[in-house]
Amino acid sequence: MLSTARAYFSSKKILEIDTPALTKNPSIDVHIEVMKTCVLENEVGYLHTSPEYLMKRLLAHGLNDLFFLGHVFRKNEIGDIHNPEFTMVEWYRKNISYDVFIEEVLEFINLFIKSQGYTKKSYRQTFFEHTNIDYLEADRDTLHKFSKKHISLAGESFFDKDTLLNLIMTHLVEPHLGKDMPFVLNYYPRSQAALSKVKKINGEEVAERFEIYFKGIELANGFHELEDSEEQEKRFIKANEERKKLNKEILPIDQKFLDSLKKGIGDCCGVAAGFDRLLMLKLNKSSLKEIIPFAWDET
């Protein structure tokens, strides 16, 4: 399947690139933890959770369609569908529409999961169907009461609205998505835009961000990529503020990445997909340990 994936990208003239796994600056996400290592006696490095920042720097240098197929690392992620080191496939396409790009991601997933179709719904519609709550109208207290009633998890009394939305989504909504065919969860809340652009649809500001699920498992996370360096810096600062509230480490902001956005990466879409999870589903297995030759417990 590694060969099949590479052949797929080659057929579309998408160039494979190789980025460092060890970097000076980590990706910043409220809910993803990075692994640190000592590079020099007084210098820390980070194992990448995604090659995204460096791939976008290559886009800014003039390269066009790119893909990466290799290992990434995430702290505190061990379980049936998690391993601290896993294989990711990530790619970026210039001058392609958001909707056409989603179709391409589904086409790639179909190399592993043979499906005759898919379902696509907005985050707002999906959240309401499974909770009877309009996330846009609901305040933090409403979400807290709902989560406390349905989920047993320490610390949720300190969570902000977005963290509660994530909690409800992962525990009560995601397990039901894509039971029979891939499910595209589209147009995330503006507050969860991460590295994606924002647009207004029927009066609602939404992020041009999607995730794809099958049998309740997240397989891919994609964006119409943000090109505004100032807005991106504001989002990094906000993410660090949220991390601080959750007693998590404040992470350094990658200035070289922001500089690349200033230089210009061009209009593009990008996605990261979990290769190991795709292979697990292709082989009808229920755990990554069954398809990774040396999962963490075996290393």
Side-chain angles (χ1 to χ4, degrees):
M1 289 311 297
L2 289 167
S3 298
T4 298
R6 287 189 163 97
Y8 173 83
F9 292 116
S10 178
S11 72
K12 291 180 173 288
K13 301 190 185 319
I14 302 176
L15 178 69
E16 181 170 12
I17 55 87
D18 183 34
T19 59
L22 183 63
T23 64
K24 291 186 177 182
N25 293 292
S27 297
I28 300 177
D29 189 288
V30 177
H31 304 291
I32 295 177
E33 300 308 309
V34 297
M35 297 183 193
K36 292 195 296 186
T37 186
C38 185
V39 180
L40 298 172
E41 189 172 330
N42 60 348
E43 186 172 9
V44 167
Y46 300 86
L47 293 173
H48 68 171
T49 60
S50 160
E52 181 167 3
Y53 296 3
L54 293 174
M55 291 184 78
K56 286 180 177 176
R57 285 172 62 184
L58 290 174
L59 292 174
H61 277 293
L63 294 180
N64 290 313
D65 301 337
L66 307 172
F67 85 94
F68 165 90
L69 180 53
H71 289 197
V72 297
F73 307 82
R74 297 186 180 183
K75 188 178 178 181
N76 299 332
E77 296 197 10
I78 297 179
D80 287 339
I81 60 171
H82 294 89
N83 199 64
E85 178 180 5
F86 63 97
T87 305
M88 177 181 281
V89 55
E90 185 160 334
W91 73 98
Y92 293 86
R93 297 274 264 149
K94 287 191 177 181
N95 303 313
I96 186 172
S97 77
Y98 178 70
D99 290 322
V100 170
F101 184 69
I102 291 175
E103 295 284 344
E104 179 172 276
V105 178
L106 288 162
E107 183 181 64
F108 177 79
I109 287 174
N110 208 44
L111 297 175
F112 299 79
I113 302 164
K114 302 303 180 184
S115 175
Q116 298 303 310
Y118 63 90
T119 303
K120 181 164 67 172
K121 293 183 180 181
S122 72
Y123 181 105
R124 188 178 185 183
Q125 179 183 355
T126 305
F127 197 90
F128 183 81
E129 287 178 355
H130 291 272
T131 65
N132 205 34
I133 294 174
D134 183 343
Y135 88 86
L136 200 60
E137 303 296 332
D139 59 17
R140 186 253 172 216
D141 289 341
T142 299
L143 294 171
H144 178 232
K145 289 176 183 177
F146 183 85
S147 66
K148 194 172 182 180
K149 181 178 179 181
H150 296 281
I151 306 167
S152 176
L153 186 67
E156 74 271 13
S157 59
F158 302 103
F159 292 167
D160 63 9
K161 180 176 177 177
D162 265 320
T163 303
L164 288 167
L165 285 173
N166 275 313
L167 180 68
I168 294 168
M169 179 63 73
T170 55
H171 284 73
L172 302 177
V173 180
E174 288 181 4
H176 304 286
L177 303 182
K179 286 188 175 180
D180 302 311
M181 62 179 65
F183 184 98
V184 181
L185 186 63
N186 199 18
Y187 294 135
Y188 270 63
R190 177 193 173 94
S191 56
Q192 297 180 27
L195 284 81
S196 67
K197 290 184 176 181
V198 173
K199 67 184 295 186
K200 186 171 285 190
I201 300 178
N202 298 324
E204 178 191 3
E205 282 195 308
V206 296
E208 287 189 287
R209 173 186 172 186
F210 66 92
E211 292 194 4
I212 298 178
Y213 296 83
F214 186 61
K215 297 189 183 302
I217 298 172
E218 179 200 338
L219 300 177
N221 183 17
F223 304 143
H224 187 185
E225 303 295 342
L226 181 68
E227 300 172 69
D228 186 333
S229 63
E230 291 184 5
E231 172 62 22
Q232 187 62 74
E233 186 172 17
K234 290 177 184 176
R235 293 184 191 178
F236 284 155
I237 292 170
K238 185 175 186 296
N240 266 332
E241 289 172 350
E242 296 302 326
R243 290 181 63 85
K244 184 177 181 179
K245 289 178 184 177
L246 295 170
N247 294 317
K248 295 183 176 184
E249 180 183 3
I250 303 302
L251 299 171
I253 292 175
D254 189 339
Q255 190 58 51
K256 288 187 176 69
F257 168 60
L258 293 176
D259 289 343
S260 73
L261 292 183
K262 288 180 184 177
K263 185 176 180 180
I265 61 173
D267 185 66
C268 65
C269 292
V271 68
F275 186 92
D276 302 320
R277 290 183 182 181
L278 286 166
L279 186 56
M280 180 186 79
L281 291 168
K282 173 181 172 62
L283 299 176
N284 294 313
K285 303 299 183 181
S286 58
S287 170
L288 294 181
K289 293 179 182 179
E290 298 178 86
I291 60 96
I292 297 178
F294 299 103
W296 176 244
D297 291 344
E298 300 297 326
T299 58

